């Protein structure tokens, strides 16, 4: 239910933008140019299914073309509308700027409940939507590059890539027209897990600075921290899995569409995921308490709250009751502008969406570069790197023998050191570096400017400054 005073998603993004630009020295003209959405294309098309023509409505919105191609996912959901895709496109502009992915911002959506159609029908609908967008250059390797979002994944991206290639038979870069493709159709290792992985890297960086943890009244590392996750889709699942399996975090709550699971001793993320795919929801999962009213679990005590589902779930009606001292926005826009004010007032630390979920577009960037270079990362240097490491190990071995074998290299060290990096390792390294550097740029603004008291404003300041610099360089 929406609060009467709650602004729309796009208005919410604008309010947050306005709060940041008030602290900047941009000319009013440039400020307006950056804020507005450049264009939104609405398409209605018919597909004959089950003997009848079904009409679908889709959108592709381009927020800013200060860099091209513009980038952003395509969402399949029944609630898709123009306001939403415009808000999401704006967030893409800022997200790409913040993590230095050289793209403008865009977003698409199709108003559809994908669960109501079988695979063959979805393929026909997707190909038709892709055709409508591609013929207007709204799918194009150098102009507009979509990716997965809610309700879409590798499968849809493969159909889109194939549809574009059929329409552009002589384009040698056709495969770069969309990212998030399966590995065997031009994708990159680590793209599926990328957004969840990015959430993990973001939290690790947050916990590296005691000043930041102290702001949230926390201390130490991620080990033993109690986490509640809303939404066990691609992003929530991977974030929860990595945090619990690799960082020692305890997943005490999982909120899904049919209620929430709660267990203070920790939930087994893999087991919950398997239960959901078998039973269609979390209800009946053993080893946990089930709450019918899932949203109420957002208000439970925990150290870290990860909204990884829809926008607007933390709003004027529940913000005051949120107890988590740290929220990381794995979804886009889960906290409304009004809720953000309330939480800031309470001292809740929010790691904002435009940074927290930027892992997806970061690895999309790597995929696009891989597609344009037509070669897998690591293919040229991996064995050469291994050969050079072997030289060092052999030499050390000789020295050790000459010294009477008082010290020998352990097998574990040799194994780790000798292996040249493969594509997945390179992708993870590039993602980790990106997430650290972007966080540090926000952190500097947060701690060093006296007039910024939250990470979201810091993120907007860094991002808007970069977009403004691009426009200025163009002479606009
Ligand atoms: N849909 C994702 C997002 O919101 C990924 C976009 C992309 O990879 O281009 O960031």
């Amino acid at each position: 239910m929406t609060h009467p005073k709650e602004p729309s998603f796009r208005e919410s993004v604008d309010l947050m933008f306005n709060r940041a630009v008030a602290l900047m020295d941009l000319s009013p003209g440039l400020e307006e140019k950056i804020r507005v959405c450049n264009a939104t294309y609405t398409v209605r098309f018919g597909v004959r299914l089950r003997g009848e023509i079904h009409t679908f409505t889709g959108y592709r919105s381009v927020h800013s073309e200060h860099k091209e191609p513009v980038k952003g996912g395509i969402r399949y959901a029944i609630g898709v509308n123009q306001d939403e895709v415009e808000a999401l496109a704006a967030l893409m502009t800022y997200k790409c700027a913040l993590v230095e992915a050289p793209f403008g911002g865009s977003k698409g959506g199709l108003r559809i409940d994908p669960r109501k159609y079988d695979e063959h029908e979805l393929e026909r609908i997707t190909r038709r939507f892709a055709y409508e967008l591609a013929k207007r250059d709204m799918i194009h390797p150098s102009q507009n590059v979509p990716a997965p979002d809610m309700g879409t994944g590798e499968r849809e991206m493969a159909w889109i890539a194939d549809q574009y290639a059929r329409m552009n038979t002589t384009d040698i870069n056709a495969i770069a027209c969309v990212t998030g493709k399966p590995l065997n159709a031009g994708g990159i290792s680590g793209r599926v897990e990328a957004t969840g992985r990015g959430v993990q890297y973001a939290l690790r960086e947050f916990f590296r600075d005691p000043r930041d943890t102290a702001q949230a009244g926390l201390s130490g590392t991620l080990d033993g921290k109690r986490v509640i996750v809303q939404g066990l889709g691609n992003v929530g699942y991977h974030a929860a899995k990595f945090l619990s399996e690799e960082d020692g975090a305890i997943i005490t709550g999982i909120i899904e569409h049919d209620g929430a699971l709660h267990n203070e001793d920790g939930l087994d993320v893999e087991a919950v995921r398997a239960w959901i795919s078998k039973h269609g929801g979390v209800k009946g999962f053993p080893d946990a308490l089930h709450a019918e009213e899932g949203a109420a679990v957002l208000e439970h005590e925990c150290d870290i709250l990860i909204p990884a589902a829809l926008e607007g779930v933390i709003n004027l009606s529940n913000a005051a009751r949120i107890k988590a001292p740290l929220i990381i926005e794995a979804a886009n826009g889960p906290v409304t502008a009004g809720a953000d004010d309330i939480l800031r007032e309470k001292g809740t630390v929010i790691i904002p969406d435009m940074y927290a979920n930027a892992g997806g577009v970061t690895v999309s960037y790597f995929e696009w570069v891989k597609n344009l270079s037509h070669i897998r990362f690591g293919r040229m240097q991996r064995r050469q790197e291994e050969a050079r490491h072997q030289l060092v190990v052999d030499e050390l071995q000789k020295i050790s023998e000459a010294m009477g074998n008082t010290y020998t290299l352990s097998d574990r060290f040799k194994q780790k050191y000798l292996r040249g990096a493969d594509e997945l390792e390179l992708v993870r390294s590039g993602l980790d570096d990106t997430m650290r550097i972007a966080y540090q740029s926000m952190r500097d603004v947060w701690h060093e400017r006296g007039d910024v008291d939250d990470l979201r404003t810091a993120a907007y300041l860094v991002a808007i400054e970069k977009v403004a610099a691009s426009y200025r360089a163009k002479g606009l």
Side-chain angles (χ1 to χ4, degrees), residues 229-401:
V229 188
Q230 186 199 33
L232 214 61
N234 180 41
V235 181
Y237 160 68
H238 282 107
K241 174 182 162 71
F242 298 145
L243 289 168
S244 58
E245 288 177 3
E246 298 171 13
D247 297 288
I250 305 164
I251 310 299
T252 55
I254 291 178
I255 307 169
E256 262 292 328
H257 61 95
D258 65 334
L261 299 176
H262 192 87
N263 185 344
E264 273 305 300
D265 298 330
L267 293 155
D268 178 342
V269 177
E270 281 301 337
V272 177
R273 173 86 161 185
W275 184 271
I276 296 173
S277 44
K278 195 158 170 221
H279 300 89
V282 291
K283 215 172 182 160
F285 180 77
D287 314 322
L289 298 172
H290 179 261
E292 286 290 337
E293 189 47 62
V297 176
L298 286 169
E299 299 163 23
H300 280 196
E301 298 260 4
C302 66
D303 298 309
I304 307 170
L305 179 61
I306 312 185
L310 264 180
E311 57 262 18
V313 293
I314 299 174
N315 48 47
L316 289 173
S317 68
N318 62 359
R321 293 191 305 274
I322 300 287
K323 294 186 195 64
L326 175 63
I327 299 176
I328 177 159
E329 297 181 325
N332 285 307
V335 176
T336 63
D340 193 59
D341 290 339
I342 297 171
L343 292 165
R344 230 174 328 112
E345 197 66 26
K346 288 208 309 178
T348 310
V349 174
I350 302 178
I351 304 180
D353 49 5
M354 82 168 75
Y355 166 72
N357 66 40
V361 76
T362 300
V363 178
S364 276
Y365 168 39
F366 302 154
E367 179 177 333
W368 181 73
V369 170
K370 174 189 181 182
N371 293 155
L372 295 179
S373 59
H374 299 270
I375 189 165
R376 156 170 59 78
F377 287 108
R379 180 157 173 184
M380 301 297 277
Q381 61 275 51
R382 182 171 182 196
R383 302 301 166 190
Q384 199 256 358
E385 193 188 327
E386 288 184 1
R388 287 166 72 100
H389 286 184
Q390 187 69 53
L391 274 178
V392 175
V393 167
D394 290 348
E395 204 57 25
L396 286 173
Q397 210 96 28
K398 269 192 229 154
I399 297 172
S400 153
E401 275 161 29

